[in-house]
């Protein structure tokens, strides 16, 4: 469909996306560093205390029509997104700390900011969690649900969702909980039926994150996964997502080192520069770092972080450039730095006639400051997807790969990791659902 002229402004034709009326309820699993930074940040923005920097939904624009049209509205003015003032948070955690206490513990935001927001943050108290230390070795949860089997626990989460639904108009769930041990899909994940039987028998293959996801998707609630856990990356949950028009979207927030990787690697490939080695190391001292210090949780993270380069470089197409690439990732728990992660990358590249060169990247980042706007955007875009007839029953929302270290795709389809392809895909999806012309960057018409 095309755009049309209205009062000199190009606007998209009316779309069939339902408006974002009323309150959007956001159910957050795990009220730790990322979650509390997102919640406190949203409240700070609502009060005009700070700007939502890093959030595409809040600050990004989208070009419509030709470059000569000069039409680039804010994304939030182009698509009907929930207004931040209509967002209501709740959540679960294995500790009883309210969001104020948890934010103070996480030490991401300064004391002054947290104190200013205290009356609001204190009101958000976690519901008891579904937790089993088998899946996160380094944590000892005390605020946890008890049930006779996993089905019982799933039903308790469903009851939490149903109760929350009575207070808001729409609901989205996001996992901001810890990284679970590395799990591969098994027979229990093959179909909804097998999964439900597995809930009855408390199958060991079903991790807590999958119990929440199952509850959400059963209730038609979209689900995002900020951690690298298997969670919805399994046929049973994909099927449930489609069946109940509850969108899902891949896993593991793409924040620091992988974000940089998926910017730099496409540049090397675009210029046909070879890469022989990529060594990445990190020091991190927050609770996430502590959890990842356990080899089984680290394995889950490592798999997620390793994937991007192989897909971007396509060594099978470019054996001379990337076949022998040695890629190594290390995460070291180092308490003195707290949430202020430091990442180093040494990249050994080679150019014309094979001459070697090196690139060093030293990223001194703030993990949760980078992750919070991503969590917010995922929530707002999943809620949009649920209201878009074109998207809601497709299950996986590949256009949200932009935000994730491990994009999820249809079976047999390789994931796009290149940040700029992902960004283009995201924006074209928005144009598409709003009935605006897609932008191909061909641009021949300017030379007619
Ligand atoms: N910060 C980043 O840049 C970033 C990037 C990518 C992914 N992640 C992932 O996001 C997740 C959250 O990171 P974080 O820094 O906020 O960690 P965190 O340890 O501060 O918070 C995680 C919270 O989840 C809770 N939790 C664990 N298991 C739970 C369960 N079964 N139910 C309910 N609550 C549970 C923990 O008690 C904790 O409060 C981690 O898995 C991390 O790997 C973070």
């Amino acid at each position: 469909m095309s755009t049309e002229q209205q009062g000199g402004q190009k606007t998209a034709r009316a779309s069939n996306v339902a408006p974002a009326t009323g309150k959007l309820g956001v159910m957050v699993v795990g009220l730790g560093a990322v979650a509390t930074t997102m919640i406190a940040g949203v409240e700070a923005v609502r009060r005009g205390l700070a700007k939502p920097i890093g959030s595409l939904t809040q600050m990004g624009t989208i070009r419509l029509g030709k470059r000569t049209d000069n039409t680039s509205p804010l994304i939030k003015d182009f698509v009907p997104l929930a207004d931040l003032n209509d967002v209501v948070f709740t959540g679960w955690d294995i500790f009883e700390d309210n969001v104020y206490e948890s934010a103070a513990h996480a030490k991401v935001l300064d004391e002054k900011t947290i104190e200013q927001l205290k009356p609001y943050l204190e009101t958000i108290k976690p519901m008891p969690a579904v937790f089993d230390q088998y899946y996160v070795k380094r944590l000892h949860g005390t605020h946890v649900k008890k049930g006779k089997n996993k089905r019982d626990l799933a039903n308790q989460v469903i009851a939490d969702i149903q109760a929350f639904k009575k207070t808001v108009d729409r609901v989205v769930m996001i996992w901001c909980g810890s990284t679970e041990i590395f799990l591969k899909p098994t027979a229990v994940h093959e179909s909804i039926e097998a999964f439900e039987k597995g809930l009855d028998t408390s199958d060991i293959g079903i991790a807590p994150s999958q119990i929440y996801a199952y509850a959400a998707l059963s209730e038609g609630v979209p689900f995002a996964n900020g951690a690298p856990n298997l969670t919805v990356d399994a046929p049973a949950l994909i099927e449930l997502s489609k069946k109940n028009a509850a969108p899902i979207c891949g896993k593991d927030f793409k924040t620091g080192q992988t974000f940089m990787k998926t910017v730099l690697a496409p540049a090397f490939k675009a210029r046909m520069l070879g890469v022989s080695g990529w060594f990445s190391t990190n020091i991190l001292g927050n609770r996430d770092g502590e959890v990842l210090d356990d080899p089984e949780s680290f394995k889950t993270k490592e798999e997620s972080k390793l994937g991007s380069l192989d897909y971007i470089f396509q060594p099978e197409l470019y054996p001379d450039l990337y076949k022998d690439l040695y890629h190594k990732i290390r995460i070291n728990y180092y308490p003195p730095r707290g949430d202020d992660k430091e990442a180093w990358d040494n990249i050994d590249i080679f150019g014309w006639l094979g001459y070697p060169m090196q690139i060093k990247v030293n990223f001194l980042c703030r993990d949760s400051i980078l992750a919070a706007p991503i969590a917010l955007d995922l929530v707002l875009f999943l809620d949009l997807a649920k209201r878009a007839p074109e998207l809601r029953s497709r299950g996986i929302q590949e256009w949200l790969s932009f935000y994730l270290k491990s994009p999820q795709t249809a079976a047999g389809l390789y994931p796009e990791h290149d940040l700029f392809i992902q960004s283009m895909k995201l924006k074209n999806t928005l144009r598409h659902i709003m009935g605006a012309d897609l932008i191909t960057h061909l641009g021949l018409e300017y030379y007619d």
Side-chain angles (χ1 to χ4, degrees):
M1 258 176 100
S2 62
T3 52
E4 59 191 43
Q5 216 64 31
Q6 254 184 27
Q9 282 267 316
K10 277 220 160 186
T11 52
R13 288 215 185 108
S15 81
N16 56 3
V17 181
T21 36
K23 298 281 178 207
L24 172 65
V26 179
M27 306 192 87
V28 188
V29 192
L31 294 168
V34 174
T36 58
T37 307
M38 165 178 67
I39 296 171
V42 166
E43 181 63 4
V45 171
R46 291 198 282 228
R47 294 205 200 165
L49 301 173
K51 298 258 182 248
I53 295 173
S55 163
L56 184 70
T57 60
Q58 303 307 301
M59 305 203 75
T61 62
I62 183 162
R63 187 185 115 200
L64 300 177
K66 293 182 184 175
R67 266 184 275 164
T68 44
D69 291 342
N70 280 326
T71 306
S72 291
L74 283 170
I75 286 174
K76 64 178 180 167
D77 292 338
F78 175 59
V79 293
L81 290 179
D83 189 283
L84 291 192
N85 289 309
D86 292 326
V87 172
V88 181
F89 292 103
T90 186
W92 297 268
D93 204 287
I94 64 171
F95 301 112
E96 272 184 75
D97 292 355
N98 64 42
V99 170
Y100 164 75
E101 290 163 335
S102 179
H105 173 87
K107 293 196 176 62
V108 176
L109 302 174
D110 59 41
E111 222 180 297
K112 187 170 153 244
T113 307
I114 298 176
E115 288 306 315
Q116 260 178 312
L117 304 171
K118 182 175 180 182
Y120 168 73
L121 298 180
E122 275 181 334
T123 62
I124 308 170
K125 301 184 174 93
M127 296 177 273
V130 175
F131 181 73
D132 180 341
Q133 207 188 2
Y134 173 75
Y135 300 92
V136 185
K137 299 278 190 283
R138 295 284 153 101
L139 296 183
H140 305 267
T142 48
H143 187 52
V144 297
K145 294 188 194 302
K146 293 187 177 48
K148 66 177 192 311
N149 55 25
K150 291 185 177 175
R151 166 82 79 169
D152 185 6
L153 294 170
N155 286 340
Q156 292 180 45
V157 177
I158 288 175
D160 291 343
I161 298 172
Q162 288 173 345
F164 188 52
K165 270 183 171 173
K166 293 197 178 109
T167 67
V168 293
D169 297 271
R170 304 178 312 284
V171 177
V172 172
M173 190 187 291
I174 182 165
W175 175 274
C176 292
S178 308
T179 300
E180 295 173 331
I181 58 170
F182 183 66
L183 291 175
K184 284 204 157 125
T186 60
V188 80
H189 303 110
E190 275 307 302
S191 64
I192 300 177
E193 212 185 8
F195 190 87
E196 289 179 342
K197 272 199 195 121
L199 286 174
D200 291 331
T201 58
S202 292
D203 190 291
I204 198 161
I206 300 180
S209 65
Q210 291 180 316
I211 296 179
Y212 288 100
Y214 170 82
L217 302 178
S218 299
E219 282 294 299
V221 168
F223 181 91
N225 184 7
N229 311 333
L230 181 66
T231 320
V232 295
D233 207 356
L237 291 134
I238 296 171
E239 197 185 327
L240 196 58
S241 155
K242 283 187 172 173
K243 182 175 156 217
N244 294 337
I248 53 173
C249 61
K251 57 193 181 188
D252 206 4
F253 302 129
K254 179 154 89 171
T255 48
Q257 200 165 48
T258 309
F259 165 60
M260 297 305 290
K261 256 180 203 166
T262 62
V263 169
L264 292 173
F268 304 146
K269 189 174 108 180
R271 286 285 167 88
M272 291 290 109
L273 292 170
V275 182
S276 57
W278 199 313
F279 178 74
S280 303
T281 190
N282 298 271
I283 53 175
L284 174 66
N286 60 16
R287 194 184 279 153
D288 185 29
E290 193 180 348
V291 167
L292 294 175
D293 209 35
D294 171 56
E296 290 189 76
S297 286
F298 173 68
K299 167 90 175 133
T300 312
K301 192 61 133 187
E302 188 185 28
E303 289 282 319
S304 178
K305 279 177 154 259
L306 277 173
S308 59
L309 286 191
D310 243 18
Y311 286 110
I312 292 174
F313 286 140
Q314 297 176 292
E316 65 294 350
L317 286 184
Y318 305 102
D320 290 338
L321 302 177
Y322 309 118
K323 178 173 63 58
D324 299 323
L325 169 65
Y326 186 84
H327 187 196
K328 189 88 192 162
I329 295 169
R330 285 267 169 268
I331 300 177
N332 303 286
Y333 178 49
Y334 182 63
R337 287 292 176 89
D339 199 66
D340 297 349
K341 176 152 80 184
E342 183 160 3
W344 292 266
D345 284 87
N346 171 74
I347 315 160
D348 285 295
I349 69 170
F350 54 94
W352 186 240
L353 312 181
Y355 280 79
M357 295 168 263
Q358 290 182 11
I359 296 173
K360 315 276 179 190
V361 181
N362 181 198
F363 192 2
L364 287 88
C365 70
R366 293 172 189 265
D367 233 15
S368 302
I369 291 294
L370 293 170
I374 292 183
L376 173 67
D377 281 2
L378 282 172
V379 160
L380 297 184
F381 276 144
L382 280 177
D383 169 52
L384 174 77
K386 170 91 189 172
R387 285 179 283 110
E390 175 75 20
L391 301 176
R392 56 188 307 215
S393 297
R394 286 185 194 263
I396 300 164
Q397 306 294 312
E398 202 195 319
W399 59 286
L400 294 176
S401 303
F402 176 65
Y403 293 108
L404 299 157
K405 281 195 198 76
S406 297
Q408 198 171 1
T409 55
L413 199 60
Y414 72 80
E416 287 292 1
H417 283 272
D418 177 329
L419 190 87
F420 300 102
I421 294 179
Q422 293 173 333
S423 157
M424 217 185 308
K425 190 189 277 285
L426 185 154
K427 290 192 172 181
N428 268 339
T429 304
L430 299 180
R431 293 182 186 105
H432 175 69
I433 62 168
M434 297 309 290
D437 285 341
L438 303 190
I439 287 185
T440 64
H441 299 288
L442 179 62
L444 283 180
E445 68 274 21
Y446 300 118
Y447 300 90
D448 282 346

